[in-house]
Amino acid sequence: MYKKLKYLRIKNQYTTKVMAEKLGISKPFYSQLENQNRRLSYEMAIKISQIFKLKPDDIFYDDHK
């Protein structure tokens, strides 16, 4: 599921720094989210989905289990 987050970031030509700035967090914090080293809050999932103009489930829900 987090692979899609990285894919969307790269597809939209955003760096981790740009994503962090858009979310109001530090670059290391964002990198930890993307690499699954930090838990994603619901609020952060909403903010990320708004950046990409998608629903949170479209990014974070993995239906291939």
Side-chain angles (χ1 to χ4, degrees), residues 1 6 11 13 15 21-22 24 29 36-37 40-41 45 47-49 51-53 58 60 63:
M1 83 178 144
K6 185 174 183 177
K11 179 183 173 195
Q13 299 180 341
T15 63
E21 288 171 354
K22 287 180 174 289
F29 188 103
Q36 295 181 314
N37 295 324
L40 181 70
S41 70
K47 287 181 181 180
I48 291 169
S49 66
I51 290 169
F52 295 121
K53 297 177 176 61
D58 294 338
F60 301 106
D63 61 355

